[in-house]
Amino acid sequence: MKPVTVISVVGLLALAACGETQGQRALSGGAIGAGGGAVAGALMGNPLAGAVVGGAAGAATGAFTSPNQIDLNR
């Protein structure tokens, strides 16, 4: 795996839980994943495929992440 891919996945997982509701987390995770995936895809030659895969992974991660799993110093 390329370092850019690893960094993108870690960032995706760290940020996918932004939002209080499941829908908000799915939406923000999808947007973050699509952005990261497009950058990683561009470095590998196919930004559209990277955006699609990253967006799907981010949305799924955001949708399946509970707000109780993240400590935001509350």
Side-chain angles (χ1 to χ4, degrees):
M1 228 182 225
K2 293 186 177 187
V4 172
T5 305
V6 173
I7 291 169
S8 297
V9 170
V10 170
L12 169 74
L13 293 174
L15 297 173
C18 296
E20 294 187 15
T21 68
Q22 184 177 19
Q24 289 173 341
R25 289 188 304 277
L27 185 62
S28 64
I32 293 166
V39 170
L43 294 173
M44 293 181 210
N46 194 343
L48 181 59
V52 170
V53 171
T61 302
F64 294 117
T65 303
S66 167
N68 297 329
Q69 294 174 310
I70 306 298
D71 179 15
L72 298 175
N73 293 325
R74 293 183 194 177

